Amino acid sequence: MTALAHEAPEMPETSPEPHLDEVLWQAWKAMELPEGFHAEIVEGFIEVSPTGRYAHGQVANRLRRALDAFLHDGEYAAYQDIDIVDGRQVWIPDVFLAAEEGADQVTEDGIGIKASAVALIAEVVSPGHDNTQRDRIRKRRAYARAGIPVYVLIDDHDGHGTVTVLTSPDPGEAAYAAEIRVPYGTEITLPEGPAKGFTITESLTGPPRPAAPRR
């Protein structure tokens, strides 16, 4: 993942100076990326990242399929590859939950789903310092600020692998008040939301990972 300093679109000389959020928004909408990349706006930066590696996609897809099976015949469904929009912030999480039907959850311009309609977001952490910092810190703050009720973090790169479930967002503090964190191989059950009772097991994460080599 790379934070991209994208050139802002030219504004007419008679226009008032645009707010930075609006400049980033217009720049993001004007971007044309090569296949295999996507762009998000996270905490005032446009971040461009490649499609996840095979292992990353495998975990994300297992999770989405398992959530869909758990939510079968309910009003919520698991989604991937759709923009979530919060004001002038845009995220493309690995998996998220929103109502299966409901035109009012779609943004007026049709770009994506409103953050206010999202019940849960899950991210599978990719390797690399920028990627881990994005999911563990920047997106954690952004999702809490937006009031996303449940944030699930599946992290191969934390020790031998950990699953963290964050709840009780405080938008004013941009923080989650409640956190449960377990190592791979230990079951963890979602405590609230439409997927309350759903358990993340080793069948979804895979077994504990080998320790990273010492440098």
Side-chain angles (χ1 to χ4, degrees):
M1 182 226 33
T2 303
L4 180 67
H6 191 80
E7 183 179 355
E10 293 184 5
M11 306 297 290
E13 293 182 3
T14 56
S15 296
E17 184 175 345
H19 192 279
L20 177 58
D21 285 351
E22 183 63 24
V23 173
L24 287 171
W25 177 254
Q26 295 300 331
W28 175 81
K29 290 202 295 183
M31 293 179 72
E32 295 183 9
L33 296 175
E35 185 176 352
F37 288 82
H38 66 252
E40 302 171 284
I41 305 177
V42 183
E43 293 198 320
F45 288 90
I46 296 178
E47 301 196 14
V48 176
S49 52
T51 302
R53 298 181 180 185
Y54 174 78
H56 175 282
Q58 188 178 42
V59 173
N61 276 287
R62 283 182 194 147
L63 179 62
R64 179 187 55 78
R65 291 194 299 267
L67 282 167
D68 259 343
F70 183 85
L71 296 165
H72 181 62
D73 290 337
E75 64 176 290
Y76 281 82
Y79 294 88
Q80 290 177 305
D81 301 322
I82 297 177
D83 297 327
I84 296 176
V85 181
D86 180 47
R88 290 295 185 257
Q89 303 286 304
V90 186
W91 317 303
I92 309 175
D94 291 314
V95 181
F96 69 93
L97 300 185
E100 191 161 16
E101 302 291 341
D104 58 341
Q105 70 183 5
V106 180
T107 59
E108 291 182 4
D109 53 16
I111 284 178
I113 289 180
K114 300 172 186 175
S116 59
V118 174
L120 175 149
I121 285 178
E123 297 283 9
V124 180
V125 180
S126 295
H129 178 76
D130 283 346
N131 290 326
T132 57
Q133 294 298 296
R134 177 196 62 194
D135 290 337
R136 295 174 185 169
I137 299 175
R138 295 195 296 278
K139 280 194 168 182
R140 177 172 175 157
R141 287 193 302 247
Y143 294 158
R145 192 178 292 116
I148 302 298
V150 181
Y151 178 30
V152 177
L153 198 59
I154 299 175
D155 193 343
D156 272 9
H157 313 287
D158 180 12
H160 295 281
T162 62
V163 179
T164 302
V165 176
L166 298 152
T167 55
S168 301
D170 183 336
E173 295 293 329
Y176 284 93
E179 175 178 342
I180 305 170
R181 179 171 168 269
V182 302
Y184 282 8
T186 300
E187 296 185 355
I188 184 169
T189 300
L190 300 186
E192 62 181 72
K196 180 179 179 179
F198 176 82
T199 301
I200 299 173
T201 67
E202 189 173 314
S203 65
L204 297 179
T205 65
R209 303 300 192 254
R214 292 185 177 182
R215 295 183 178 179

